[in-house]
Amino acid sequence: MTLEVGNKIDAWCGRCKTMLRHTIEIITGEKIGRVHCNSCKGRHLYRAQQPKTRGAVAALSQERKYEQLVRGRTEAHSTPYSSSARFEIGQLVSHPAFGLGVVTGARDNVKIDICFAGGEKVLQQGC
């Protein structure tokens, strides 16, 4: 893949705290300089992967992230998951195996990132 301004690329978003689709804004030589997140519209330096965290801290932050995303909403407010349905970022989803989750990102219009209590999952949509 040739790197060009305007191309889409997966990168770590510090605001969303997950790997999401970004658009390249600046390229310096052979390196990507700045990108913007297609989910939260934040602009930041390109990060090819998630920053390293310590085990217990990572588990705690995942629990906190899930708690903040669900914050007061119950299964009564959720939409049952179906691979043929379409979902929006922030939507509460009820999955038969993973439980209650919140859509945190969209990829290539056929995949979504969902934050469940047990961790992040990538699932299909609109198929």
Side-chain angles (χ1 to χ4, degrees):
M1 175 179 141
T2 55
L3 296 178
E4 295 179 5
V5 172
N7 282 2
K8 308 290 187 227
I9 191 163
D10 287 334
W12 175 257
C13 181
R15 184 182 293 171
C16 297
K17 304 290 187 224
T18 190
M19 292 292 290
L20 292 171
R21 204 66 160 162
H22 285 68
T23 302
I24 299 172
E25 287 187 347
I26 295 176
I27 297 176
T28 307
E30 296 287 319
K31 296 174 77 175
I32 299 170
R34 187 174 65 206
V35 294
H36 76 261
C37 178
N38 295 340
S39 296
C40 72
K41 307 299 183 213
R43 300 167 79 185
H44 53 80
L45 295 176
Y46 171 69
R47 293 176 188 88
Q49 58 191 0
Q50 177 178 354
K52 306 249 186 276
T53 56
R54 297 189 184 127
V57 174
L60 263 179
S61 64
Q62 172 61 31
E63 289 175 15
R64 285 187 188 146
K65 177 181 178 183
Y66 176 75
E67 289 171 4
Q68 286 180 336
L69 289 169
V70 173
R71 204 179 316 156
R73 297 188 285 177
T74 63
E75 197 159 348
H77 297 103
S78 69
T79 303
Y81 172 76
S82 169
S83 61
S84 61
R86 305 223 30 98
F87 300 94
E88 295 182 17
I89 295 173
Q91 188 171 358
L92 197 62
V93 177
S94 175
H95 191 279
F98 304 125
L100 202 58
V102 179
V103 179
T104 57
R107 303 177 184 200
D108 298 332
N109 212 20
V110 291
K111 294 182 183 177
I112 51 174
D113 299 314
I114 301 181
C115 180
F116 294 101
E120 297 268 341
K121 303 287 182 193
V122 178
L123 301 176
Q124 291 183 329
Q125 72 167 347
C127 294

